[in-house]
Amino acid sequence: MYFSFRSAPKARAFCDTIRSMKSIFFVDGFNLYHAICDAFDHAKYKWLNLKQLALNLIDHEDELRSVHYFTAYCGWNKQKERKHRTYVEALTKYGVQTVEGKFMPVGKRFKKRYMRIFDMAPYILEDWMIPEEIAYVTNEEKRTNVNIAIKILDYAYQDYYEHAYVVTADSDIAPAIQAAKTRFPKKKFTVVLPIGHRQDGYLCKVCDAVKVINEACLSASLLPDPVIIGKKIVYCPFS
């Protein structure tokens, strides 16, 4: 079949409707990781191919341009950091781009009158054994939400995508999506909720569509074990 666009504007409009949309995936690594940990006792779904996950979730009319994985390394636990870096190395084989944040020490304060004491059986803590206040330092992941927000806006201005998929349940990303939609109303946003999250959050309301990762999707998106990268063989570190 041959269309002359000069004489057939309807044909041109038809072709425009079937043209693939430039699409991109932004993955909040720890949001997805913790959802998997909460949902399953085993660790096999941690060995997840984010590129394949994107291909399994993407709309049929979309063309996947890139997958961006936002994460941070826990430098205080060398064993966990080593496993994490092995996983990232495997992802690079499939073209997943990693954007690194940081863990930062954060001061916390526990006040007994404001906090609930959970059952610690078989250990028994009497009320008199618990101090009224405890100050301590912990590590919190920083920059991930900021990095995702910057990429959403930066790539929107570059017209790098027409449809952005954001894999997270964190509503802190919502203002960046709203800003991009205000400036570029034709761009589409789909929130991809990690397994176990409900579809009633604020983030779902600001996006054009909602998808939920289920176990079947995870099972169909695993990395091979091992992953061969040139002359190097990378084995799944999770057990």
Side-chain angles (χ1 to χ4, degrees):
M1 182 181 296
Y2 173 75
F3 292 111
S4 172
F5 288 134
R6 291 185 179 179
S7 59
K10 291 184 179 180
R12 184 192 302 115
F14 172 77
C15 289
D16 286 343
T17 60
I18 63 173
R19 181 182 60 83
S20 60
M21 295 183 70
K22 299 180 294 185
S23 300
I24 189 171
F25 266 71
F26 301 107
V27 182
D28 183 337
F30 278 107
N31 202 274
L32 177 59
Y33 173 85
H34 289 301
I36 292 172
C37 290
D38 291 342
F40 304 102
D41 292 331
H42 57 75
K44 69 177 183 179
Y45 293 138
K46 295 178 184 179
W47 192 236
L48 191 63
N49 184 342
L50 298 180
K51 174 73 173 294
Q52 188 60 53
L53 180 71
L55 291 171
N56 289 338
L57 289 166
I58 199 170
D59 292 343
H60 69 275
E61 69 271 17
D62 287 358
E63 175 191 356
L64 183 63
R65 300 201 70 178
S66 59
V67 178
H68 299 261
Y69 171 57
F70 297 82
T71 191
Y73 298 112
C74 55
W76 67 92
N77 188 320
K78 294 304 180 183
Q79 182 180 11
K80 285 188 175 181
E81 181 182 359
R82 185 165 55 252
K83 289 182 177 181
H84 196 168
R85 290 188 181 277
T86 298
Y87 175 59
V88 169
E89 190 174 6
L91 288 178
T92 60
K93 166 72 180 288
Y94 296 90
V96 176
Q97 301 178 40
T98 299
V99 181
E100 187 177 340
K102 285 188 175 182
F103 277 97
M104 302 291 290
V106 177
K108 296 283 187 178
R109 191 173 296 276
F110 165 86
K111 292 187 178 181
K112 186 169 66 173
R113 67 178 183 274
Y114 297 134
M115 301 278 187
R116 177 184 173 191
I117 307 300
F118 291 92
D119 182 17
M120 297 180 62
Y123 306 102
I124 298 175
L125 287 178
E126 299 290 346
D127 188 69
W128 63 268
M129 300 170 68
I130 304 170
E132 291 295 326
E133 182 173 314
I134 301 173
Y136 63 98
V137 176
T138 186
N139 291 287
E140 287 187 358
E141 182 194 9
K142 298 293 183 181
R143 300 185 184 177
T144 288
N145 288 335
V146 173
N147 285 338
I148 295 175
I150 289 172
K151 287 291 186 184
I152 286 173
L153 292 169
D154 182 30
Y155 284 163
Y157 274 93
Q158 294 183 51
D159 197 26
Y160 185 72
Y161 65 84
E162 296 166 291
H163 188 175
Y165 295 79
V166 185
V167 184
T168 187
D170 193 335
S171 60
D172 287 346
I173 304 300
I177 294 174
Q178 288 178 305
K181 287 173 66 65
T182 299
R183 180 63 180 85
F184 305 99
K186 292 184 178 181
K187 295 196 183 298
K188 181 179 179 181
F189 286 85
T190 294
V191 57
V192 181
L193 296 174
I195 190 167
H197 287 279
R198 298 171 58 184
Q199 303 181 46
D200 57 358
Y202 179 64
L203 186 58
C204 297
K205 297 177 182 178
V206 303
C207 289
D208 301 288
V210 179
K211 296 194 176 191
V212 180
I213 298 173
N214 56 30
E215 185 173 4
C217 187
L218 293 173
S219 182
S221 306
L222 295 178
L223 288 160
D225 188 20
V227 174
I228 301 174
I229 308 172
K231 297 182 178 180
K232 187 173 182 178
I233 300 177
V234 177
Y235 292 93
C236 173
F238 304 112
S239 58

